[in-house]
Amino acid sequence: QVQLVESGGGLVQAGGSLTLSCVVSGSTDSIGTLGWYRQAPGKQRELVVFITRIYTTTYADSIKGRFTISRDNAKSTINLQMNSLKPEDAAVYYCNGEIAPAGLLVRKFWGKGTQVTVSS
């Protein structure tokens, strides 16, 4: 069974840094675009960044220059380095992926999320 497992969330002071990781586990035929979304209390889930299999990236304007996504296809892993964190970055961060489980068609998968809290 394909799963996306996030880690690395926590509490950090404004201006600090955190690194989130997401690992794709389970048997897959292909792993396409992977990315991060976030959802703050009372707000809609929003795209943070995504990265394609060939490492093309797209960042939300709100985090450009502060967050950096990386990908390791051999390890089926993406990381999100978050620097200069602001209180408005606080949210639950969700990993998302377009994945074909073994023998099945591509569909979107979501992780359970990891909490990022930024104190001012």
Side-chain angles (χ1 to χ4, degrees), residues 28-78:
T28 62
D29 283 343
S30 67
I31 301 174
T33 298
L34 298 171
W36 292 96
Y37 286 72
R38 67 185 183 187
Q39 187 168 19
K43 294 187 176 182
Q44 289 188 331
R45 190 172 298 189
E46 62 177 3
L47 173 69
V48 177
V49 58
F50 64 80
I51 184 168
T52 69
R53 185 170 179 79
I54 58 171
Y55 309 104
T56 303
T57 58
T58 299
Y59 290 88
D61 288 341
S62 61
I63 57 87
K64 281 182 180 177
R66 299 187 297 121
F67 291 12
T68 303
I69 191 169
S70 61
R71 177 171 180 152
D72 186 334
N73 286 332
K75 296 181 179 179
S76 301
T77 298
I78 58 171

